[in-house]
Amino acid sequence: MTTQPLAKQAYGKIIQMILSGALTPGDALQEAKLGEALEMSRTPVREAIKRIEAEGLVSQDGRFLRVRLLSSEEVEEIFFLRQVLESYCARHASAVAPTILDGLETRIRHLQQSGPGEDDEQRQVDDEFHRTIALSTGSETMAAMIEDLRRRTCMFDHTQVPDRFLKSCDEHLAMIAALRDDRGDEAGRMMADHIVHARDAVLAKLEQFPERTDEG
């Protein structure tokens, strides 16, 4: 049995501990201690911590990785930058090949029918959709910037903001339809709205934990 499913479970549980305040800013993420709390071996916990580090939710302090939280101000900034960049990309994405749009639509409709599932299919489809739109500009730099910005809030997936799952699928499909019809300006407006909706869901999630202390 691979450690990937266990690592994903560990990741989800640690994220929930951070959001709920069970782990507070400044707390060290220690493999042995977390493994004991989660009743898991150190290997999946180590993999989960690496993922959390890549997403910017910890900071290095000597030999320790310590918890940090996104502040509401950081969230606003991240989504503002995404809105500017990704709406621009969507306006200029009408050249995306119909076969690529067809493939994305098929995968999104499958998610609508079967749900996000236990694996990372929902995240993979979401990443692929936004990456396709970003790369349509031909700018690797812009695509890399968007990917980095998205990574910083990717912990807010369907497990954290479940109400966004089906709505996000509908919004993706609407943008695909606009791109098929060469309605780039409309696709750009849809993307801007899509990102605002995601931002608002993240901010609402953060507001569920008023006792937490934001630290950068």
Side-chain angles (χ1 to χ4, degrees), residues 36-58:
E36 183 178 347
L38 300 176
E39 299 182 338
M40 292 183 176
S41 69
R42 293 176 67 160
T43 299
V45 172
R46 183 184 307 120
E47 292 178 12
I49 290 173
K50 286 180 180 177
R51 177 174 168 182
I52 290 168
E53 181 181 13
E55 293 170 6
L57 294 177
V58 293

mmCIF file of all heavy atoms in Angstrom, residues 36-58:
data_model
loop_
_atom_site.group_PDB
_atom_site.id
_atom_site.type_symbol
_atom_site.label_atom_id
_atom_site.label_comp_id
_atom_site.label_asym_id
_atom_site.label_seq_id
_atom_site.Cartn_x
_atom_site.Cartn_y
_atom_site.Cartn_z
ATOM 1 N N GLU A 36 1.676 10.821 16.343
ATOM 2 C CA GLU A 36 1.006 10.265 17.522
ATOM 3 C C GLU A 36 -0.423 10.790 17.622
ATOM 4 O O GLU A 36 -1.362 10.036 17.883
ATOM 5 C CB GLU A 36 1.793 10.635 18.775
ATOM 6 C CG GLU A 36 1.226 10.035 20.058
ATOM 7 C CD GLU A 36 2.069 10.385 21.272
ATOM 8 O OE1 GLU A 36 3.204 10.880 21.099
ATOM 9 O OE2 GLU A 36 1.565 10.168 22.403
ATOM 10 N N ALA A 37 -0.596 12.103 17.392
ATOM 11 C CA ALA A 37 -1.932 12.700 17.485
ATOM 12 C C ALA A 37 -2.868 12.144 16.421
ATOM 13 O O ALA A 37 -4.064 11.947 16.667
ATOM 14 C CB ALA A 37 -1.831 14.213 17.366
ATOM 15 N N LEU A 38 -2.318 11.889 15.232
ATOM 16 C CA LEU A 38 -3.136 11.405 14.115
ATOM 17 C C LEU A 38 -3.180 9.886 14.029
ATOM 18 O O LEU A 38 -3.870 9.339 13.170
ATOM 19 C CB LEU A 38 -2.594 11.979 12.797
ATOM 20 C CG LEU A 38 -2.570 13.511 12.676
ATOM 21 C CD1 LEU A 38 -1.928 13.919 11.352
ATOM 22 C CD2 LEU A 38 -3.963 14.093 12.800
ATOM 23 N N GLU A 39 -2.418 9.229 14.905
ATOM 24 C CA GLU A 39 -2.313 7.770 14.893
ATOM 25 C C GLU A 39 -1.834 7.271 13.540
ATOM 26 O O GLU A 39 -2.412 6.367 12.934
ATOM 27 C CB GLU A 39 -3.649 7.124 15.283
ATOM 28 C CG GLU A 39 -4.115 7.498 16.682
ATOM 29 C CD GLU A 39 -5.409 6.811 17.068
ATOM 30 O OE1 GLU A 39 -6.168 6.387 16.168
ATOM 31 O OE2 GLU A 39 -5.672 6.691 18.274
ATOM 32 N N MET A 40 -0.746 7.901 13.066
ATOM 33 C CA MET A 40 -0.133 7.555 11.787
ATOM 34 C C MET A 40 1.373 7.435 11.964
ATOM 35 O O MET A 40 1.942 7.975 12.922
ATOM 36 C CB MET A 40 -0.421 8.624 10.729
ATOM 37 C CG MET A 40 -1.847 8.726 10.279
ATOM 38 S SD MET A 40 -2.020 9.978 8.960
ATOM 39 C CE MET A 40 -3.752 9.798 8.561
ATOM 40 N N SER A 41 1.999 6.760 11.011
ATOM 41 C CA SER A 41 3.453 6.691 11.019
ATOM 42 C C SER A 41 4.027 8.031 10.573
ATOM 43 O O SER A 41 3.307 8.901 10.071
ATOM 44 C CB SER A 41 3.947 5.586 10.086
ATOM 45 O OG SER A 41 3.698 5.944 8.733
ATOM 46 N N ARG A 42 5.323 8.207 10.723
ATOM 47 C CA ARG A 42 5.942 9.484 10.413
ATOM 48 C C ARG A 42 6.014 9.754 8.911
ATOM 49 O O ARG A 42 6.046 10.907 8.486
ATOM 50 C CB ARG A 42 7.351 9.536 11.022
ATOM 51 C CG ARG A 42 7.319 9.551 12.528
ATOM 52 C CD ARG A 42 8.695 9.513 13.156
ATOM 53 N NE ARG A 42 9.449 10.725 12.905
ATOM 54 C CZ ARG A 42 10.500 11.098 13.639
ATOM 55 N NH1 ARG A 42 10.890 10.355 14.660
ATOM 56 N NH2 ARG A 42 11.161 12.205 13.349
ATOM 57 N N THR A 43 6.027 8.688 8.083
ATOM 58 C CA THR A 43 6.214 8.887 6.640
ATOM 59 C C THR A 43 5.079 9.702 6.009
ATOM 60 O O THR A 43 5.341 10.711 5.348
ATOM 61 C CB THR A 43 6.377 7.545 5.914
ATOM 62 O OG1 THR A 43 7.533 6.882 6.433
ATOM 63 C CG2 THR A 43 6.553 7.765 4.408
ATOM 64 N N PRO A 44 3.804 9.322 6.162
ATOM 65 C CA PRO A 44 2.736 10.159 5.567
ATOM 66 C C PRO A 44 2.671 11.539 6.186
ATOM 67 O O PRO A 44 2.341 12.515 5.506
ATOM 68 C CB PRO A 44 1.461 9.357 5.826
ATOM 69 C CG PRO A 44 1.790 8.436 6.945
ATOM 70 C CD PRO A 44 3.245 8.112 6.796
ATOM 71 N N VAL A 45 2.976 11.646 7.483
ATOM 72 C CA VAL A 45 2.975 12.960 8.136
ATOM 73 C C VAL A 45 4.065 13.835 7.535
ATOM 74 O O VAL A 45 3.858 15.023 7.268
ATOM 75 C CB VAL A 45 3.173 12.806 9.658
ATOM 76 C CG1 VAL A 45 3.369 14.176 10.313
ATOM 77 C CG2 VAL A 45 1.971 12.104 10.278
ATOM 78 N N ARG A 46 5.233 13.233 7.279
ATOM 79 C CA ARG A 46 6.343 13.986 6.669
ATOM 80 C C ARG A 46 5.939 14.499 5.285
ATOM 81 O O ARG A 46 6.208 15.650 4.934
ATOM 82 C CB ARG A 46 7.576 13.105 6.554
ATOM 83 C CG ARG A 46 8.815 13.828 5.996
ATOM 84 C CD ARG A 46 9.991 12.878 5.823
ATOM 85 N NE ARG A 46 10.262 12.168 7.061
ATOM 86 C CZ ARG A 46 10.225 10.841 7.193
ATOM 87 N NH1 ARG A 46 9.913 10.087 6.149
ATOM 88 N NH2 ARG A 46 10.487 10.269 8.341
ATOM 89 N N GLU A 47 5.272 13.655 4.501
ATOM 90 C CA GLU A 47 4.847 14.060 3.159
ATOM 91 C C GLU A 47 3.808 15.183 3.237
ATOM 92 O O GLU A 47 3.819 16.110 2.426
ATOM 93 C CB GLU A 47 4.278 12.850 2.407
ATOM 94 C CG GLU A 47 5.331 11.797 2.069
ATOM 95 C CD GLU A 47 4.742 10.591 1.364
ATOM 96 O OE1 GLU A 47 3.572 10.667 0.939
ATOM 97 O OE2 GLU A 47 5.452 9.586 1.246
ATOM 98 N N ALA A 48 2.910 15.088 4.214
ATOM 99 C CA ALA A 48 1.890 16.128 4.391
ATOM 100 C C ALA A 48 2.540 17.454 4.771
ATOM 101 O O ALA A 48 2.152 18.509 4.262
ATOM 102 C CB ALA A 48 0.896 15.693 5.470
ATOM 103 N N ILE A 49 3.524 17.405 5.639
ATOM 104 C CA ILE A 49 4.213 18.627 6.057
ATOM 105 C C ILE A 49 4.939 19.263 4.873
ATOM 106 O O ILE A 49 4.939 20.491 4.722
ATOM 107 C CB ILE A 49 5.191 18.326 7.215
ATOM 108 C CG1 ILE A 49 4.412 17.991 8.493
ATOM 109 C CG2 ILE A 49 6.116 19.525 7.463
ATOM 110 C CD1 ILE A 49 5.284 17.521 9.643
ATOM 111 N N LYS A 50 5.530 18.456 4.010
ATOM 112 C CA LYS A 50 6.209 18.989 2.822
ATOM 113 C C LYS A 50 5.217 19.725 1.923
ATOM 114 O O LYS A 50 5.522 20.786 1.375
ATOM 115 C CB LYS A 50 6.875 17.855 2.036
ATOM 116 C CG LYS A 50 8.125 17.296 2.683
ATOM 117 C CD LYS A 50 8.717 16.170 1.838
ATOM 118 C CE LYS A 50 9.966 15.594 2.470
ATOM 119 N NZ LYS A 50 10.512 14.452 1.679
ATOM 120 N N ARG A 51 4.032 19.165 1.785
ATOM 121 C CA ARG A 51 3.001 19.807 0.958
ATOM 122 C C ARG A 51 2.562 21.120 1.590
ATOM 123 O O ARG A 51 2.402 22.138 0.903
ATOM 124 C CB ARG A 51 1.816 18.864 0.787
ATOM 125 C CG ARG A 51 0.657 19.457 0.002
ATOM 126 C CD ARG A 51 -0.402 18.403 -0.249
ATOM 127 N NE ARG A 51 -1.624 19.007 -0.745
ATOM 128 C CZ ARG A 51 -2.738 18.311 -1.009
ATOM 129 N NH1 ARG A 51 -2.765 17.006 -0.842
ATOM 130 N NH2 ARG A 51 -3.819 18.922 -1.448
ATOM 131 N N ILE A 52 2.370 21.109 2.906
ATOM 132 C CA ILE A 52 1.956 22.321 3.611
ATOM 133 C C ILE A 52 3.041 23.389 3.502
ATOM 134 O O ILE A 52 2.750 24.578 3.320
ATOM 135 C CB ILE A 52 1.642 21.986 5.083
ATOM 136 C CG1 ILE A 52 0.357 21.147 5.146
ATOM 137 C CG2 ILE A 52 1.500 23.248 5.926
ATOM 138 C CD1 ILE A 52 0.094 20.515 6.495
ATOM 139 N N GLU A 53 4.301 22.971 3.560
ATOM 140 C CA GLU A 53 5.410 23.922 3.403
ATOM 141 C C GLU A 53 5.394 24.545 2.007
ATOM 142 O O GLU A 53 5.584 25.761 1.856
ATOM 143 C CB GLU A 53 6.741 23.219 3.640
ATOM 144 C CG GLU A 53 7.948 24.139 3.527
ATOM 145 C CD GLU A 53 9.258 23.418 3.733
ATOM 146 O OE1 GLU A 53 9.264 22.161 3.715
ATOM 147 O OE2 GLU A 53 10.283 24.092 3.902
ATOM 148 N N ALA A 54 5.144 23.717 0.984
ATOM 149 C CA ALA A 54 5.109 24.218 -0.392
ATOM 150 C C ALA A 54 3.989 25.226 -0.589
ATOM 151 O O ALA A 54 4.081 26.105 -1.453
ATOM 152 C CB ALA A 54 4.945 23.055 -1.372
ATOM 153 N N GLU A 55 2.942 25.122 0.207
ATOM 154 C CA GLU A 55 1.804 26.027 0.084
ATOM 155 C C GLU A 55 1.961 27.286 0.941
ATOM 156 O O GLU A 55 1.071 28.133 0.974
ATOM 157 C CB GLU A 55 0.510 25.280 0.452
ATOM 158 C CG GLU A 55 0.174 24.195 -0.565
ATOM 159 C CD GLU A 55 -0.953 23.279 -0.131
ATOM 160 O OE1 GLU A 55 -1.571 23.554 0.930
ATOM 161 O OE2 GLU A 55 -1.218 22.298 -0.832
ATOM 162 N N GLY A 56 3.106 27.411 1.613
ATOM 163 C CA GLY A 56 3.405 28.645 2.333
ATOM 164 C C GLY A 56 2.729 28.797 3.679
ATOM 165 O O GLY A 56 2.618 29.910 4.188
ATOM 166 N N LEU A 57 2.284 27.685 4.272
ATOM 167 C CA LEU A 57 1.584 27.767 5.547
ATOM 168 C C LEU A 57 2.489 27.528 6.745
ATOM 169 O O LEU A 57 2.017 27.444 7.880
ATOM 170 C CB LEU A 57 0.423 26.768 5.574
ATOM 171 C CG LEU A 57 -0.691 27.068 4.571
ATOM 172 C CD1 LEU A 57 -1.753 25.983 4.620
ATOM 173 C CD2 LEU A 57 -1.311 28.414 4.862
ATOM 174 N N VAL A 58 3.779 27.388 6.485
ATOM 175 C CA VAL A 58 4.753 27.285 7.557
ATOM 176 C C VAL A 58 5.947 28.151 7.205
ATOM 177 O O VAL A 58 6.171 28.491 6.044
ATOM 178 C CB VAL A 58 5.224 25.828 7.787
ATOM 179 C CG1 VAL A 58 4.101 24.964 8.328
ATOM 180 C CG2 VAL A 58 5.799 25.233 6.513
#
